[in-house]
Amino acid sequence: MRYILTSVTVFLLIGSLMAQSERGIDIVQKSSGVFIYRYAETMEQIDPRKDFLSRRQISDAAVITDLKRIMADSAGYTPDFKARCLPVWDLGIEFRSGTETRMYLFSFRCNTMKSVEENLFKDFTPQRTDLYALLQYEINERTSIDWR
């Protein structure tokens, strides 16, 4: 008798939990910060938030400040942009703040930057050297955290 009551109680508990999840009550908290993505070399279209080799969250405030400065400099640069090559995305940068997210992809071969949310492409030639040095040499175990 005790076994039957325990089984019924467990069954009812599981049923009520399943009913709650069907109503869409699950809340997922997005973490804030600046994230760097590295991608495999491919000519195929990628989902930049899923098809990455590695993702790191920058923890060093000086690196974040430099990155934001370079991105602000890039915002003011607006040449007549005509893609001369098909970009192969090397790196991505994602800025998360609460529920707002801004992601940019970079192809250093083509000097092309893509704003993911706006689907806009842009030349970033004047910022290329500084950005490459920052992303390749300053993002390391000391300045960032592996984020899987």
Side-chain angles (χ1 to χ4, degrees):
M1 182 73 165
R2 179 182 242 174
Y3 175 75
I4 294 172
L5 287 175
T6 304
S7 298
V8 170
T9 304
V10 169
F11 180 73
L12 291 173
L13 180 61
I14 291 172
S16 76
L17 290 174
M18 289 177 66
Q20 283 182 352
S21 68
E22 288 175 7
R23 285 188 254 151
I25 296 176
D26 299 334
I27 297 173
V28 177
Q29 179 67 35
K30 267 191 165 178
S31 59
S32 295
V34 180
F35 297 83
I36 302 298
Y37 295 77
R38 297 192 189 281
Y39 301 103
E41 186 172 313
T42 181
M43 296 298 286
E44 300 297 319
Q45 192 169 11
I46 63 169
D47 180 342
R49 290 185 177 91
K50 293 181 181 175
D51 300 331
F52 56 86
L53 293 175
S54 69
R55 174 174 54 187
R56 300 189 69 80
Q57 181 176 15
I58 300 175
S59 56
D60 188 289
V63 173
I64 293 172
T65 301
D66 286 345
L67 191 55
K68 287 182 177 180
R69 178 190 51 79
I70 292 170
M71 294 302 292
D73 290 346
S74 177
Y77 179 65
T78 55
D80 292 333
F81 178 67
K82 293 180 176 78
R84 294 179 200 98
C85 67
L86 185 62
V88 174
W89 305 117
D90 303 301
L91 296 164
I93 301 173
E94 183 177 26
F95 296 93
R96 293 184 195 168
S97 177
T99 59
E100 187 175 322
T101 297
R102 305 287 300 160
M103 186 168 201
Y104 303 92
L105 299 178
F106 295 90
S107 172
F108 288 95
R109 293 177 193 122
C110 296
N111 293 342
T112 301
M113 174 177 74
K114 177 184 178 185
S115 172
V116 173
E117 287 77 21
E118 298 168 346
N119 198 30
L120 293 175
F121 295 82
K122 184 177 180 180
D123 182 355
F124 72 102
T125 299
Q127 295 79 26
R128 183 191 188 284
T129 303
D130 290 341
L131 188 61
Y132 185 81
L134 181 68
L135 296 176
Q136 291 295 351
Y137 303 115
E138 295 296 323
I139 308 299
N140 54 41
E141 297 295 323
R142 184 182 53 79
T143 60
S144 64
I145 302 164
D146 191 28
W147 191 269
R148 298 208 188 256

